[in-house]
Amino acid sequence: MKNFLFISIEESFFIIFIAILVFGPKKIPDIARGLGEGIRYLRNAKTKIKNEIIQNNVNQSIKKKEIYEEKKGNKHIPPYSIKRNNSIN
């Protein structure tokens, strides 16, 4: 089992015991709820920032492709061509 933050089970119980002594058993659920909301807020902010960065990279790559095609002069030419042989043998 992996130790959370390198703290043993005994040390975790000791910290919880001290928290109950300091804050009281009635305040602990409120504190835990507040921590949960804070973690959820940070996770949502991280996801939004990550999506914005990805969208920005996609937009930049599309703009670079458009600029390259304009410089190349092949904006309306398909990327491949089909040769047709109309002669009948």
Side-chain angles (χ1 to χ4, degrees):
M1 184 174 153
K2 187 176 180 181
N3 290 338
F4 180 70
L5 297 176
F6 307 107
I7 297 175
S8 68
I9 294 174
E10 295 85 14
E11 292 170 337
S12 300
F13 284 128
F14 183 72
I15 291 171
I16 292 170
F17 177 73
I18 297 298
I20 290 173
L21 287 177
V22 171
F23 297 112
K26 293 182 181 180
K27 289 284 185 176
I28 298 292
D30 293 334
I31 294 170
R33 190 175 302 113
L35 286 173
E37 289 174 0
I39 291 170
R40 189 178 315 116
Y41 176 78
L42 290 174
R43 189 176 299 146
N44 289 340
K46 181 185 80 167
T47 303
K48 287 180 183 179
I49 291 170
K50 184 178 176 182
N51 290 339
E52 188 175 327
I53 290 171
I54 290 170
Q55 185 64 35
N56 191 20
N57 287 341
V58 168
N59 290 341
Q60 284 181 352
S61 64
I62 289 172
K63 287 179 184 179
K64 285 180 182 179
K65 183 178 178 183
E66 289 174 354
I67 291 171
Y68 174 75
E69 288 176 352
E70 286 176 3
K71 286 181 180 178
K72 192 175 178 183
N74 296 336
K75 189 172 184 180
H76 300 291
I77 298 174
Y80 57 88
S81 63
I82 300 173
K83 291 186 177 184
R84 297 177 190 223
N85 190 356
N86 291 336
S87 65
I88 300 175
N89 291 351

